[in-house]
Amino acid sequence: MRGAEADALTELEREVGTPGSGLDRLRLMPTPFVPEVRLHLAEDAIVWWARMEATAGHALPAPYWASAWAGGQALARHLLDHPELVAGRRVLDLAAGSGLVAIAAALAGAAEVIANDIDPYAVAAVTLNARANHVAVDATGNDLLDSTEPKADVVVAGDVFYDRAMADRMLPFLQRTAAAGADVLVGDPGRGHLPADRLAVLADYPVPTTEPSVDSSLRRVQVLRPA
């Protein structure tokens, strides 16, 4: 683990080890729709972020890892319900955030799981969350999207088509990965930049959401693979 990631892990370990409660705290809890997995999630990610920035005295990356996102929830549910997809195989979880999908893959019997995210705090959160679920997940912070030979049998990616720039980098990587023989699974709740004509739907889930700006308490989430 590199310097920034090690520092973030120390900081998060201190956070979860400090007694207290409130909107600006992390809490270990069962994940909505995937209760088999427990995650350290923020009661209110924005409030937690504001406190941490005030303490640090400088800007910090948005804590996307401190929430359970619908695409990851659907992917994790799909892997746990269909363990044959990953059992005995090497799995790479891209833009892993909290590590929810990576942990689900490990619980489903994957031989090796790598969770990748460029945010040092996400790498730290994956480490803490894997520890809480008693599974082995290797968390890494390298940017993999320009690589040509991902060393994985299965690549999973939840909520990765949230803006055009990310979609334009993510889709070619996933297509190269699929062309190299890996199985690719994507979880998407209609973020707006999903290239639907290049992906085939495998499953559709009604996922309970805790996102603050969503009208319904459920979101329809698709699990897809490159067509």
Side-chain angles (χ1 to χ4, degrees), residues 143-224:
D143 186 338
L144 302 180
L145 294 186
D146 293 325
S147 62
T148 56
E149 297 182 9
K151 296 177 174 62
D153 304 309
V154 183
V155 175
V156 291
D159 291 283
V160 294
F161 293 103
Y162 52 83
D163 66 26
R164 176 52 57 195
M166 184 64 165
D168 287 347
R169 292 195 69 207
M170 182 63 68
L171 183 61
F173 175 85
L174 295 178
Q175 289 176 320
R176 289 196 305 272
T177 301
D183 289 334
V184 173
L185 297 173
V186 172
D188 188 84
R191 293 290 180 202
H193 298 280
L194 181 76
D197 59 329
R198 303 186 193 181
L199 297 167
V201 178
L202 296 179
D204 186 289
Y205 294 96
V207 176
T209 180
T210 57
E211 296 174 40
S213 59
V214 177
D215 294 334
S216 172
S217 60
L218 292 176
R219 294 193 74 160
R220 302 301 306 189
V221 184
Q222 293 179 330
V223 174
L224 313 98

Side-chain angles (χ1 to χ4, degrees), residues 23 25-27 29-32 39-49 62-73 95-101 117 119 121-122 125 129 158-159 191 208-212:
L23 293 179
R25 301 307 303 265
L26 299 176
R27 184 162 65 91
M29 64 183 80
T31 307
L39 298 175
H40 291 93
L41 301 176
E43 293 284 352
D44 186 310
I46 301 302
V47 175
W48 184 87
W49 186 20
Y64 296 117
W65 54 267
S67 301
W69 298 93
Q73 288 169 279
S98 66
L100 169 59
V101 185
D117 201 296
D119 178 2
Y121 283 87
N129 289 330
D159 291 283
R191 293 290 180 202
T209 180
T210 57
E211 296 174 40

Side-chain angles (χ1 to χ4, degrees), residues 90-106:
R90 298 169 300 166
V91 178
L92 169 64
D93 180 11
L94 274 176
S98 66
L100 169 59
V101 185
I103 292 166

